[in-house]
Amino acid sequence: MVLAALDRCSVIPLYYQIQQRLLDQIRSGALKSGQPVPSEQEIAAGLGVSRMTARQALKSLCDLGVTYTQRGRGTFVSANKLEKNIRQVLSFTEEMRARGLRADSNVLCFETVPAVAEIASALHAASGEPLIKLHRIRLADSCPMGIECSYIPQRLCPDLLRTFDASTSLYQTLSERYGIQMAFADEVIEAALASAKEACLLRIAKGSPVFIFTRVSSVQSGQAVEYVKSTYRADRYKIAHRLTRLNRELLYPAELKELGNAQVRTAPVDG
Ligand code: GLP
């Protein structure tokens, strides 16, 4: 692969120029996901830069999540990010299936625990009430995508611990065995950096960006069924959603007031 010559008079650091040239190759499709990117030696020799500069350029691409390194094998272009569906309540298995990927799980823990205050309140359960805790690494075609830790009141599915194969689909079992169909979910999404433990489980570098989803899923009656905290790899997921412009006639008075305040705050000053 031939990379365009660097501009040595520019104030833009050489490593950054190399990073941008490699990114151009990836964006244009000249370098596809799974393909190796040029090695440190190739970049250094091809562009006449030090090995340290070439290494810095390769590391910056890994830090962006655009590439990943396999020890002893080299650096490769990451797979395209999956678009996380945040419009529908889907199970991990359903989401992966829809993309032609095989969903799998490594179970870290599957046991009964007493509800701590925060989770009890989210699930409208009593503090200390027995919850089933299911902590899993979720894999797509054997690649770790995220870690999910779910809590479900035991009274809703008393023999789940005994009957459920925790490496299979939780939502399918809840639906087929207990008639529990998730109807809606309240979810908060935050950005974070992977802790050492998360990084190890997800096979990414410590401090890599991750999404934290905290979700409470409920059935049609409003009964909260699952509290789940998920840590998803930001190099494998992106979030896309549709925004609609509000129809003022359909707004509640409080929302109208809020909208009015927002407009006052952002309105340009005349004159
Ligand atoms: C999604 C949800 C989780 C839920 C999981 C069930 O990932 N965010 O809250 O526990 O699906 O997935 P499955 O039915 O594949 O076990």
Side-chain angles (χ1 to χ4, degrees):
M1 163 163 302
V2 184
L3 295 176
L6 304 175
D7 180 355
R8 289 170 192 275
C9 301
S10 166
V11 289
I12 300 171
L14 292 178
Y15 92 88
Y16 187 77
Q17 292 187 40
I18 301 170
Q19 182 215 75
Q20 291 301 308
R21 279 160 181 67
L22 289 168
L23 274 177
D24 285 345
Q25 300 287 327
I26 295 170
R27 285 193 199 109
S28 71
L31 270 177
K32 296 192 175 46
S33 70
Q35 285 187 335
V37 298
S39 66
E40 211 174 282
Q41 297 92 304
E42 286 165 342
I43 294 174
L47 293 174
V49 295
S50 70
R51 291 272 296 257
M52 213 167 79
T53 303
R55 190 175 313 144
Q56 198 181 0
L58 287 175
K59 182 174 178 308
S60 68
L61 281 179
C62 280
D63 291 345
L64 289 174
V66 175
T67 60
Y68 61 96
T69 302
Q70 280 191 348
R71 203 173 296 157
R73 289 198 57 220
T75 303
F76 302 85
V77 180
S78 301
N80 291 334
K81 291 185 181 185
L82 298 186
E83 218 169 82
K84 184 96 185 75
N85 189 325
I86 53 169
R87 291 176 290 270
Q88 283 175 295
V89 183
L90 290 175
S91 74
F92 182 81
T93 306
E94 288 166 337
E95 275 208 78
M96 294 309 124
R97 237 182 238 150
R99 296 184 162 90
L101 301 171
R102 189 173 40 84
D104 221 333
S105 303
N106 285 343
V107 182
L108 302 172
C109 124
F110 186 34
E111 62 185 4
T112 308
V113 295
V116 296
E118 183 200 346
I119 301 178
S121 134
L123 287 172
H124 313 299
S127 198
E129 175 181 335
L131 302 178
I132 294 174
K133 175 179 175 187
L134 176 56
H135 196 187
R136 299 183 286 179
I137 306 173
R138 308 307 309 258
L139 309 127
D141 282 352
S142 307
C143 172
M145 304 293 287
I147 306 164
E148 293 184 327
C149 192
S150 302
Y151 296 85
I152 301 165
Q154 194 171 27
R155 66 185 136 83
L156 302 176
C157 41
D159 56 358
L160 188 73
L161 272 187
R162 197 167 43 79
T163 58
F164 175 54
D165 171 358
S167 64
T168 63
S169 170
L170 172 68
Y171 278 12
Q172 192 176 343
T173 298
L174 288 178
S175 159
E176 288 174 0
R177 193 173 169 87
Y178 304 95
I180 296 174
Q181 324 261 7
M182 302 302 185
F184 62 92
D186 295 304
E187 184 163 79
V188 174
I189 307 170
E190 293 165 280
L193 302 177
S195 67
K197 187 166 173 221
E198 288 165 341
C200 171
L201 295 174
L202 292 172
R203 290 193 235 134
I204 51 179
K206 180 184 165 202
S208 301
V210 289
F211 291 112
I212 308 282
F213 287 70
T214 307
R215 182 193 277 196
V216 178
S217 305
S218 309
V219 291
Q220 196 59 50
S221 67
Q223 160 84 61
V225 169
E226 181 194 26
Y227 173 97
V228 58
K229 204 157 209 140
S230 312
T231 307
Y232 291 116
R233 289 172 55 164
D235 63 335
R236 299 306 314 277
Y237 278 109
K238 61 181 169 190
I239 297 171
H241 62 127
R242 171 172 291 183
L243 306 180
T244 48
R245 197 160 160 76
L246 287 174
N247 179 347
R248 296 181 74 93
E249 273 82 69
L250 297 179
L251 291 179
Y252 292 107
E255 287 171 337
L256 258 178
K257 188 163 169 257
E258 179 55 28
L259 195 63
N261 289 342
Q263 279 173 351
V264 169
R265 280 199 296 273
T266 58
V269 181
D270 285 338

